[in-house]
Amino acid sequence: MAALVFLFWPDAQPEPDPPPSLSLVDSDVDREENVAADIVLVITKAGVRLSAVREAGCPRGGGLADVKAQYDIKVPLDAKAGAVLTRKMKYSLPPHSQERVAFTVGPEHFYEGSQPWIYTFTITIHAADGSKVTVPEVTYLSPLKGASGFLATARYAVAHPNGGHMDPTCVSRQARSVAQLVKAAKRPSPELTEFSEELTRISGQ
């Protein structure tokens, strides 16, 4: 899972008909290991608007055991494109200072043996004075545990096409589909790009 890191600049005091008191200075799609996954966040609310949701994987054998996932923005497994998810926040920005804020996005629940999800979305940050900023769209892979498990099973399936765990032709279809998605994405996460590259290598395309 990657993390979204935003940099904000607030105005010192509200004035009559002021410009928005919260502005986006910069944003980046960074690795989760470089930021805290569930820190105290800024302002009053964040809203995530999903423009695409898809599972990246192929049918395979094996049972599933429920494991609770810990994410900043938790996406229900039945979420569809167009859904808006909100997260309440409580944080005070010091006047004339810059603050970096990090989010993670991932499934509300995942299972041992489940496969990764790819989310395309924007995040809007709402301040107490009514101002807001929207971060440009990103495309994001989560959870990484699911991605690693899928790649391992895909390697075995391609090396042992009669092993029965996964259809190698499905691996090839997923490799092409994910590669096309990454190419079209405005800002793919580093892990999604690496996942696509490794899946393409495994499939031999």
Side-chain angles (χ1 to χ4, degrees):
M1 175 176 63
L4 309 179
V5 184
F6 312 133
L7 186 63
F8 298 103
W9 179 270
D11 290 339
Q13 297 291 337
E15 299 175 359
D17 299 319
S21 62
L22 183 67
S23 62
L24 180 66
V25 177
D26 192 16
S27 67
D28 194 12
V29 185
D30 199 1
R31 295 182 182 278
E32 183 186 8
E33 64 189 28
N34 295 336
V35 299
D38 201 11
I39 60 173
V40 176
L41 298 175
V42 75
I43 315 302
T44 59
K45 182 175 66 175
V48 175
R49 179 177 293 277
L50 300 170
S51 53
V53 179
R54 61 154 294 186
E55 189 175 23
C58 297
R60 61 182 175 184
L64 303 176
D66 191 16
V67 178
K68 181 72 173 180
Q70 300 299 318
Y71 290 97
D72 186 25
I73 304 293
K74 299 180 175 73
V75 183
L77 295 181
D78 60 354
K80 306 295 183 185
V84 177
L85 311 172
T86 59
R87 169 72 184 260
K88 291 184 178 180
M89 300 158 59
K90 185 177 181 180
Y91 189 91
S92 297
L93 278 172
H96 298 299
S97 64
Q98 293 182 348
E99 292 288 332
R100 290 173 65 86
V101 180
F103 291 90
T104 57
V105 177
E108 187 173 37
H109 295 274
F110 68 94
Y111 303 87
E112 289 293 342
S114 66
Q115 299 176 110
W117 291 81
I118 300 174
Y119 304 105
T120 300
F121 57 89
T122 58
I123 292 183
T124 300
I125 309 298
H126 299 260
D129 64 359
S131 63
K132 62 184 178 180
V133 293
T134 298
V135 179
E137 183 179 87
V138 299
T139 302
Y140 192 86
L141 177 73
S142 182
L144 292 186
K145 183 177 182 180
S148 298
F150 173 67
L151 291 175
T153 306
R155 287 189 199 96
Y156 186 89
V158 171
H160 306 86
N162 297 318
H165 293 286
M166 185 180 290
D167 183 355
T169 62
C170 181
V171 174
S172 297
R173 287 196 304 272
Q174 283 291 328
R176 290 192 297 271
S177 177
V178 175
Q180 291 170 358
L181 188 153
V182 170
K183 183 177 180 180
K186 296 175 183 177
R187 294 201 300 172
S189 69
E191 287 84 352
L192 175 58
T193 300
E194 292 166 4
F195 174 80
S196 177
E197 291 171 350
E198 180 62 12
L199 189 56
T200 296
R201 189 191 68 77
I202 290 170
S203 69
Q205 298 184 35

